[in-house]
Amino acid sequence: MKDTIVLYPFPAIGHLVSMVELGKRIICHYNHRLSLTVLISGNSFNSAAINLYIDHVSLTDPSITFHRFPALPNPPSLPPSPTIHPVAIPLESIRLNNANLLQTLQTISETSSVAALVIDFFCHPASPVATELNIPLYYYFPNGASTVAMMLHLPNLHNQTNKSFSELGNTTVIQIPGLPPLRASQMGSSLLDRTNQVYDKMLDLGKNLLKSKGIITNTIEALEPKAINAVRNQAPAIFCVGPLLAEPKDQYSAADCLSWLDKQPSRSVIFLCFGSLGVFSVKQIAEIAVGLERSGQRFLWVVKNPPPIGGGKMQLSAMDFDLEAVMPEGFLERTSDRGLVVKSWAPQVEVLNREAVGGFVTHCGWNSVLEAVCAAVPMVAWPLYAEQHMNKEVLVEEMRVALPMEAEEEDGFVIAAEVEKRVRMLLDSEEMREISKSCQEMKEKALAAWAEGGSSRVAFTELAESWNRG
Ligand code: UDP
């Protein structure tokens, strides 16, 4: 009977793409002697981008089977409310889809042997199904080992206080083995408030991670050695298989920014892009625009539809909008000889690998970090949500591949003078020369990881062997 590996990504594009890349490696490793099914839970972030991506991969990589669970219109235990954490609904849907998961795995098992169920760490509510069916369970972190270290240490931190991290705020320093010191406010955004609907599930994840057969993470031994060692001391079965990056052929690319980039001088353009979900208020957009204009540097800037007043920093579904209306008056014309503003989306992997790009202002999403590392592009770290504040510390303090963007403590607002300063530094400063050097070294290590005998290739082979052993 042919074996099947089942992957269950969290339905947000940054999580999905990374896991599908893992799937492609699995198919290649087994030379198609194994089936691969990717399960998609219906309640997703930015479902338009997800649908486009799945349609595309289904055509170009037909050996990957996608199986969709229905969207749940209103998960009964979570009535619609403005105070609900954005991750809560998709997470609850995963729990409510457990009956579908059970049935799907049973159906697959009729004709195939399920060698492993690999779930995104956010899909933790699905873990009881693996136990019930006695299927080996693995957790996948599309993030770095620093996130794994944070999750593993969460139960200890939880027991040390009755307060939420948000209450402990900027003054309390948190020590997590393997990580630079963090302020409590820099913990993952779903962990900040212990009364929200996601915190409990993440706490439960932290308590149960070590019961799984293994933890797979999209990192490289050479990138985060301290965090990896700290995790390995607790969880010997950690498989660092990065970098798993989006293939340019799979990235949506409507914008004609690549031909514009090709006309710019080498290493002269600053690329500003804040992930699949990151958004700024009109006021913040105006401040960035002033900073960019005063810097006098070339730039390529991806701007998304600003949220309504008081809205968060994540845009959960893409909406068309009038770009001119959200930009400061006259900005686009005044900077048209050296800047390009792209609406909503740019093909980031291709952009970062263009000769013209000299620096990247990023929200520190882990895919973006790996993509920049593999292109040796120095970064300015401007974290917005999820585990990005922690990533910023790792990038600046440990990996030394980024400069920090200094923001107002209470609301994360960044003033124009700071944008101007960092953009100038990105293209010409002593600090940047140091950072560029580490970027180049990191790139070489990242590229070596999947070469013959490289650390990620070895880890992946060990992972596959653990599946063969059953
Ligand atoms: N991305 C892109 N173009 C954009 C914005 C994002 O291609 O305009 C891709 C980016 O290359 C990365 C992913 O979307 O692969 C974003 O993942 P990341 O982990 O950086 O951030 P998230 O969106 O999950 O916060």
Side-chain angles (χ1 to χ4, degrees):
M1 212 175 354
K2 203 172 176 180
D3 279 354
T4 299
I5 303 282
V6 179
L7 306 183
Y8 197 3
F10 184 70
I13 195 79
H15 290 240
L16 170 63
V17 171
S18 171
M19 215 178 205
V20 167
E21 288 303 322
L22 175 70
K24 289 182 190 172
R25 303 277 172 159
I26 294 170
I27 287 174
C28 182
H29 179 85
Y30 284 93
N31 200 9
H32 297 265
R33 290 188 312 277
L34 170 145
S35 304
L36 190 97
T37 299
V38 180
L39 306 175
I40 306 291
S41 172
N43 296 67
S44 58
F45 292 163
N46 199 346
S47 47
I50 288 194
N51 292 342
L52 262 178
Y53 175 76
I54 292 176
D55 289 349
H56 174 82
V57 175
S58 305
L59 281 176
T60 54
D61 288 282
S63 41
I64 300 178
T65 305
F66 289 94
H67 182 88
R68 286 170 185 264
F69 295 144
L72 302 161
N74 178 19
S77 46
L78 287 175
S81 144
T83 57
I84 285 182
H85 189 278
V87 173
I89 301 244
L91 225 127
E92 180 66 354
S93 307
I94 281 159
R95 189 180 70 80
L96 293 171
N97 263 316
N98 275 353
N100 291 324
L101 173 64
L102 185 91
Q103 198 188 23
T104 304
L105 291 171
Q106 282 172 329
T107 307
I108 295 174
S109 302
E110 285 166 14
T111 53
S112 176
S113 161
V114 181
L117 172 64
V118 182
I119 64 174
D120 185 286
F121 73 101
F122 268 143
C123 295
H124 173 61
S127 60
V129 178
T131 313
E132 187 174 339
L133 295 177
N134 205 14
I135 293 175
L137 177 72
Y138 293 75
Y139 283 89
Y140 180 67
F141 283 73
N143 323 61
S146 304
T147 303
V148 184
M150 181 189 272
M151 297 315 306
L152 278 174
H153 200 60
L154 182 63
N156 300 332
L157 296 171
H158 179 83
N159 291 337
Q160 285 165 17
T161 170
N162 290 325
K163 290 193 172 153
S164 288
F165 295 120
S166 55
E167 290 172 85
L168 298 171
N170 285 323
T171 46
T172 308
V173 174
I174 305 266
Q175 301 283 357
I176 298 178
L179 299 190
L182 297 176
R183 284 173 282 136
S185 56
Q186 290 177 311
M187 293 293 284
S189 57
S190 57
L191 309 179
L192 288 178
D193 174 4
R194 59 169 68 191
T195 66
N196 86 24
Q197 311 83 359
V198 181
Y199 182 88
D200 276 351
K201 295 195 170 73
M202 292 298 101
L203 183 62
D204 195 61
L205 169 73
K207 290 177 185 163
N208 287 290
L209 255 180
L210 297 178
K211 295 182 191 154
S212 71
K213 290 277 181 196
I215 300 169
I216 308 164
T217 144
N218 191 9
T219 195
I220 305 153
E221 292 281 344
L223 223 56
E224 303 176 276
K226 289 185 190 161
I228 293 171
N229 279 339
V231 172
R232 191 163 279 138
N233 285 339
Q234 305 161 74
I238 175 174
F239 302 95
C240 303
V241 298
L244 298 170
L245 304 185
E247 284 193 85
K249 74 172 173 62
D250 293 338
Q251 280 204 316
Y252 171 69
S253 164
D256 188 24
C257 55
L258 298 175
S259 52
W260 179 85
L261 273 176
D262 290 340
K263 294 189 200 103
Q264 311 306 316
S266 171
R267 302 279 167 201
S268 71
V269 176
I270 301 296
F271 178 50
L272 301 96
C273 187
F274 301 89
S276 59
L277 309 169
V279 281
F280 293 117
S281 63
V282 174
K283 195 170 160 222
Q284 181 66 83
I285 289 175
E287 211 73 12
I288 299 173
V290 172
L292 285 176
E293 197 168 348
R294 288 194 192 141
S295 77
Q297 305 297 333
R298 290 185 172 79
F299 63 87
L300 171 63
W301 178 15
V302 183
V303 173
K304 288 190 178 28
N305 191 16
I309 290 167
K313 294 176 179 172
M314 285 168 85
Q315 179 197 65
L316 302 184
S317 56
M319 265 175 291
D320 198 17
F321 69 105
D322 179 357
L323 181 64
E324 298 239 354
V326 306
M327 302 309 289
E329 214 178 322
F331 170 79
L332 294 174
E333 297 77 49
R334 287 195 303 277
T335 56
S336 62
D337 59 332
R338 62 185 172 82
L340 183 65
V341 178
V342 170
K343 200 161 91 166
S344 300
W345 195 263
Q348 182 167 296
V349 174
E350 285 192 89
V351 167
L352 287 169
N353 285 286
R354 282 315 211 249
E355 180 60 30
V357 173
F360 180 26
V361 180
T362 171
H363 74 316
C364 308
W366 191 249
N367 291 295
S368 296
V369 168
L370 288 181
E371 288 160 10
V373 163
C374 291
V377 176
M379 290 169 263
V380 167
W382 185 344
L384 298 178
Y385 51 86
E387 86 296 3
Q388 295 154 11
H389 291 276
M390 177 198 67
N391 289 348
K392 172 191 167 188
E393 292 305 310
V394 174
L395 293 177
V396 173
E397 302 299 332
E398 301 282 341
M399 289 163 59
R400 301 197 178 278
V401 290
L403 288 173
M405 188 72 98
E406 301 296 352
E408 306 282 335
E409 295 246 314
E410 67 282 6
D411 58 359
F413 194 76
V414 174
I415 58 169
E418 172 71 5
V419 175
E420 178 189 352
K421 174 176 151 190
R422 297 302 175 181
V423 164
R424 284 182 191 277
M425 286 177 82
L426 252 184
L427 291 178
D428 187 22
S429 69
E430 201 42 56
E431 291 91 330
M432 243 334 129
R433 276 181 277 285
E434 286 297 305
I435 286 178
S436 296
K437 212 166 129 228
S438 354
C439 284
Q440 199 54 47
E441 286 166 15
M442 288 288 178
K443 174 183 174 174
E444 280 154 29
K445 289 175 180 166
L447 297 186
W450 267 95
E452 202 59 47
S455 61
S456 295
R457 185 179 283 249
V458 169
F460 181 85
T461 308
E462 284 168 9
L463 176 64
E465 277 165 10
S466 79
W467 292 336
N468 294 340
R469 284 194 300 272

